[in-house]
Amino acid sequence: MISIFRSFLRCFIRACRYIILCEEFLDSLAVEIYELKSKKEDVERDVVKARRGGKQPRSQVMWWLDRAGSLESRFAKISTEFERRLMLPGNLAPNVWSSYRLSSRADEMIAEVRYLKSKGSFDQVADEVFPVRFEEVPSSPTVGMDLVLEQLRRVLEDDAVGIVGIYGMGGVGKTALLSRFHNEFLADATHLDVVIFIDACRGLGVDRIQRMIGDRLGLSRKNRGSQEENAATLFRVLNKMTFVLILDGVCRSLDLRMVGVPIPRRRSKCKIVLATRNEDLCDQMGAKKKIKVEALPWDAAWKLFTETAGEEMIDSHPGIRRQAEILVRKCGGLPLALIAVARALASKRSLEEWKHAVAIMNSDPSQLPGVAEHVLRPLKLSYDLLPDDTLRSCALHFALYREGCRLHQNLLQECWIGEGILGDFEDVEEANNRAGYLLGVLSAASLIDRVDANGYTRMHPVIRATVLWIACECGKKENRWFVREREGLTDAPDAETWAGAKRLALGYNEIAVLPEAPRCPDLVSLKLKNNLGLEKIPDGFFGFMPSLAFLDLHSTSIKELPPGIGNLVGLQFLELCGTKLKSLPKELGALTKLKYLGLNWTVDLASIPDGVIRDLDQLRVLRMIVSYRSWKAGSSGDGVDMGELEALNRLRILDITVGTAAALERLAQSRRLAPATVALLIKGCRGLSSIELPSVLGKNMKRLKWLRASHSKELEDVVIGGGGGGGGLENLVLEHLLKAKIVWRGSHGQNLRGLYIYGCNGMEQLIYQKDDEEAEDGRASGGAAIVPFPNLTEIALRGLPELKRVSEERKMLVFPSLESMEVAECPKLKKLTLVAEKLREIKCPRSWWDQLEWEEEDDATKSAFQLIMKPLQ
């Protein structure tokens, strides 16, 4: 009974103290918290110092700091609540219960603070970090990559290279290469403190990569803070180590400093190796050395395929081996495709099964088991990662051409202008630059390959199959894009194909008859190029194609366009080059959205109705070389008034044929047409005795790249030089000019790259030299050598029966860039007085070569030329 009373008394006394002495409890807690805070600050300083030394704080220390911080926060809340009590008016003074509750909380916290202070003495606040130096990663066998592995090994030993970029198309084997490099070469690299391999193929963010690196370094996840704090910790730890960091499958630029990875300094043994499909990412992430992983050569590709499919089965029948070779070629040396196709056929033992597989690969590779899942879908990532829809449209365009086709930038550029991909542009140079930029992005993204430096590109066959699969909505709509070029088709597609197709590419076949009125509501693009037997388009053919924007009839044998062409009010691109058209229908004027009209090499085109050209006011590109030439420069005469051309306000690129001196003068003086003229054919032009380049063509014709003068009995002098515009001329063709000679005035010709002279019967000397003063008094300049065209790469001389020399007596022509020369039917040309150190071929008849005369001092030149002479048949 007494003990119960005593307990009750103690509770009563404690309650009275809580009620009466609330402020004293708060003051006592404040003192304890102040002491705890001071101790906490001391410990935090020790932790910071340890971290700067690359050490990892102990978990117990981090727990203590966390609890101390929590108590500080709780004290702040209690203090705020107590201060609010003091501010209350008298009638709202705090009651007994609130005082009791506040004092009770303060008393409990005093005990907690004293306990925590008792635990706050640490002999050691941090430990040394002990990273896992090396962890083997899963790998697969590599074939044909020994040279690239050797390159990587040499880079590892090169202290001048800190960041290495490995790039190449998807599926080419970059992961297998790096896995082997990691497991075989870095495992025994004893000078390295840590080797870290991170698969970043899913676009890992900075936080995730920091966690993965921290795990390998032995850093506890419990002790990690914000992204910036983690970056600082990783930097301090890695900065004391010799490390190799491998980032595989990088698909977006990653700021290594935000991650906390130190950039290796010169003379450092540290290395960062990143693998990506996009070459640009290598540069964006500061790679000092880039290594491209190419598709496998034939021997390595065949070995990989046969080892996967089974050599015994492939060798069991000659027919199976032939089909296997076709499949390997279709895979284009891409390991991902080779393995997937080989696995799909590993259990196929009959020739018929293999032939069927080849047929599937030709028509729709996604139907072969495993190809869509293991090849096309992974490769789709390269397409998805393109930065915008414009580039995706450019990539899709490559699928409209046959597999392995080389495509020149000019061809793609014209199509992209017609489809509106390039948008508006001021001149041909801007269009060239924009197209070149887009092709550069696609090439860097490993979606196309640059074939050479002359503007040719190509899409890998498996990438093309992927793009075509994407265009058909990942295989959901078969034949949405119906591409059957060079397949020997004799019949047009059936009605079902026309009805469901969005794009039809039927070029280079033998189609002679088109359906009368196909119904194709979704058809956007139709390519019938080079169906030589196609002579007529049915009257109702264009009646049910409301969406058609792209029509290519290049090199068909059509003689007329049906009136129904006027139904294609959405048409933007119309290619009629090389057709046998004799006239254009008046209905063509209804195509008011047309941006590109190609009429080059329509040699029979003699009639264009008045007003048709003027109505095409959206035209950006008009091509009419070796085409209609009856342009009317004044009010009199027959033909189309050149004013119709001048009415085309949006015209930016013009190729044109003129047949009169008056039309040439009107063209040269036009402020609208002259700047747009890129190619010019001067045919006949009675009364024209000389052409002075560039001044006679006007100061506005600055973008002229190609000039051909032909079939004139009066034209004598082709003068290159003399001021004005047009200094960018790249190709000059002189054809069937009875009196023509080339006069070089020494001030221009810097950009000329091709010189072609055919059938000029009166030409005795190739080039005459005169400078501006000599042009007035007729004197020849001194000196033994002249350099008329420093950038000229090709010369062709054919059918020049009177040509005796290439330059004046005792003059030597120097062509520093000349690579190719052709000479034929020039019987009186006995000497080659020219210097061309880069010349790699001279094409000529053997009989002409044997009768050439050489000076004694020309023995070395003769021997050098003899090695590159290629006889013409």
Side-chain angles (χ1 to χ4, degrees), residues 492-744:
D494 57 29
E496 183 180 355
T497 300
W498 286 96
K502 185 176 182 179
R503 293 182 183 264
L504 287 170
L506 304 169
Y508 297 92
N509 285 302
E510 299 171 20
I511 298 173
V513 179
L514 295 174
E516 181 63 35
R519 295 180 180 272
C520 26
D522 299 327
L523 190 64
V524 172
S525 171
L526 175 59
K527 295 178 63 180
L528 293 165
K529 180 177 183 178
N530 276 82
N531 281 278
L532 301 179
L534 183 60
E535 298 181 355
K536 183 180 180 180
I537 297 177
D539 292 340
F541 183 74
F542 296 121
F544 303 97
M545 299 181 181
S547 303
L548 195 66
F550 186 101
L551 177 59
D552 187 354
L553 298 170
H554 188 299
S555 296
T556 57
S557 298
I558 59 171
K559 297 179 176 62
E560 63 179 3
L561 290 171
I565 190 76
N567 294 325
L568 305 178
V569 293
L571 198 67
Q572 300 183 59
F573 179 98
L574 178 57
E575 181 59 88
L576 299 167
C577 172
T579 58
K580 297 182 179 180
L581 291 175
K582 296 180 179 180
S583 65
L584 297 180
K586 66 179 184 300
E587 290 81 5
L588 197 69
L591 308 183
T592 55
K593 293 185 178 181
L594 202 63
K595 296 179 180 180
Y596 177 98
L597 177 58
L599 290 164
N600 282 349
W601 297 97
T602 49
V603 295
D604 298 325
L605 185 60
S607 174
I608 300 177
D610 290 342
V612 168
I613 298 295
R614 178 183 287 109
D615 289 342
L616 304 177
D617 58 1
Q618 296 298 311
L619 270 185
R620 269 70 162 177
V621 182
L622 177 60
R623 305 281 197 195
M624 297 187 72
I625 286 293
V626 193
S627 181
Y628 181 85
R629 61 188 177 100
S630 301
W631 301 104
K632 185 171 60 175
S635 57
S636 61
D638 297 326
V640 178
D641 194 321
M642 292 194 73
E644 292 202 26
L645 290 174
E646 292 180 315
L648 302 176
N649 295 330
R650 294 176 178 269
L651 191 66
R652 298 293 182 264
I653 299 175
L654 175 64
D655 296 352
I656 189 169
T657 302
V658 294
T660 66
L664 177 61
E665 183 178 0
R666 174 83 174 264
L667 176 70
Q669 293 177 356
S670 173
R671 292 185 178 275
R672 187 176 304 283
L673 300 180
T677 302
V678 176
L680 172 62
L681 168 57
I682 303 171
K683 188 172 183 179
C685 287
R686 182 178 298 176
L688 186 67
S689 60
S690 68
I691 299 175
E692 187 169 341
L693 302 171
S695 58
V696 77
L697 298 181
K699 295 181 180 181
N700 293 326
M701 202 173 286
K702 298 177 180 180
R703 298 180 180 92
L704 186 66
K705 301 295 183 184
W706 185 92
L707 174 64
R708 177 181 175 184
S710 71
H711 297 86
S712 173
K713 297 179 181 179
E714 302 177 34
L715 184 61
E716 295 187 22
D717 294 341
V718 178
V719 183
I720 300 179
L729 187 68
E730 295 181 358
N731 292 282
L732 176 62
V733 183
L734 305 179
E735 184 178 31
H736 300 299
L737 306 174
L738 299 183
K739 302 177 182 179
K741 61 179 182 289
I742 298 174
V743 179
W744 176 64

Side-chain angles (χ1 to χ4, degrees), residues 56-322:
Q56 180 178 357
R58 287 186 166 186
S59 298
Q60 184 182 16
V61 174
M62 299 307 296
W63 170 86
W64 188 90
L65 290 173
D66 183 65
R67 286 291 306 277
S70 175
L71 287 172
E72 285 185 45
S73 299
R74 287 166 61 191
F75 170 71
K77 291 180 181 179
I78 290 178
S79 297
T80 302
E81 185 177 341
F82 181 74
E83 290 172 1
R84 279 202 303 265
R85 285 161 48 92
L86 297 178
M87 301 293 293
L88 293 174
N91 61 334
L92 295 177
N95 55 34
V96 172
W97 170 245
S98 64
S99 297
Y100 173 86
R101 185 166 51 83
L102 196 62
S103 298
S104 175
R105 286 165 55 194
D107 194 24
E108 290 175 1
M109 282 189 61
I110 290 172
E112 289 185 56
V113 171
R114 288 172 178 170
Y115 172 77
L116 198 60
K117 286 195 300 180
S118 68
K119 297 292 185 179
S121 299
F122 303 104
D123 296 332
Q124 186 174 346
V125 298
D127 297 317
E128 297 288 342
V129 174
F130 295 101
V132 180
R133 197 194 76 82
F134 179 86
E135 283 185 352
E136 187 172 355
V137 298
S139 62
S140 55
T142 59
V143 176
M145 293 189 176
D146 291 343
L147 289 178
V148 184
L149 279 168
E150 179 60 23
Q151 281 184 278
L152 270 175
R153 188 192 62 78
R154 288 198 300 267
V155 168
L156 186 66
E157 297 173 352
D158 186 356
D159 295 346
V161 178
I163 303 179
V164 185
I166 310 294
Y167 69 97
M169 62 186 292
V172 80
K174 300 182 295 296
T175 297
L177 172 76
L178 287 181
S179 298
R180 181 178 169 190
F181 175 70
H182 175 272
N183 293 344
E184 294 184 9
F185 289 87
L186 299 181
D188 299 325
T190 56
H191 67 286
L192 298 176
D193 296 317
V194 64
V195 179
I196 303 172
F197 190 110
I198 293 179
D199 182 0
C201 64
R202 294 179 185 148
L204 300 181
V206 171
D207 291 337
R208 180 76 182 278
I209 293 176
Q210 285 180 336
R211 287 198 297 271
M212 296 172 76
I213 295 175
D215 290 344
R216 286 299 313 281
L217 294 177
L219 299 175
S220 172
R221 292 193 178 189
K222 295 180 181 179
N223 298 334
R224 296 175 192 174
S226 66
Q227 188 179 100
E228 293 76 14
E229 292 171 337
N230 293 336
T233 300
L234 292 178
F235 183 87
R236 285 190 292 266
V237 174
L238 287 172
N239 208 33
K240 296 176 62 178
M241 295 181 173
T242 303
F243 68 88
V244 170
L245 172 63
I246 297 176
L247 296 170
D248 184 33
V250 178
C251 55
R252 291 182 177 84
S253 183
L254 182 66
D255 190 337
L256 295 173
R257 285 169 294 191
M258 287 183 62
V259 176
V261 178
I263 305 301
R265 297 182 293 271
R266 288 183 62 85
R267 306 299 176 190
S268 170
K269 297 292 185 181
C270 296
K271 293 287 180 290
I272 299 171
V273 183
L274 60 100
T276 177
R277 300 182 184 188
N278 196 323
E279 182 183 2
D280 286 344
L281 287 182
C282 297
D283 299 318
Q284 293 170 18
M285 293 183 63
K288 301 301 181 185
K289 172 73 175 178
K290 294 186 293 187
I291 299 174
K292 184 176 183 180
V293 182
E294 302 278 5
L296 298 178
W298 172 260
D299 290 342
W302 178 253
K303 179 181 179 183
L304 179 60
F305 184 87
T306 54
E307 287 180 352
T308 306
E311 294 182 50
E312 183 178 347
M313 187 264 296
I314 290 176
D315 291 335
S316 65
H317 192 290
I320 291 180
R321 184 179 182 89
R322 283 193 294 271

Side-chain angles (χ1 to χ4, degrees), residues 305 308 331 334-346 368-372 374-375:
F305 184 87
T308 306
C331 292
L334 189 68
L336 186 71
L338 288 163
I339 293 171
V341 173
R343 286 175 177 171
L345 291 165
L368 201 65
V371 170
H374 300 298
V375 180

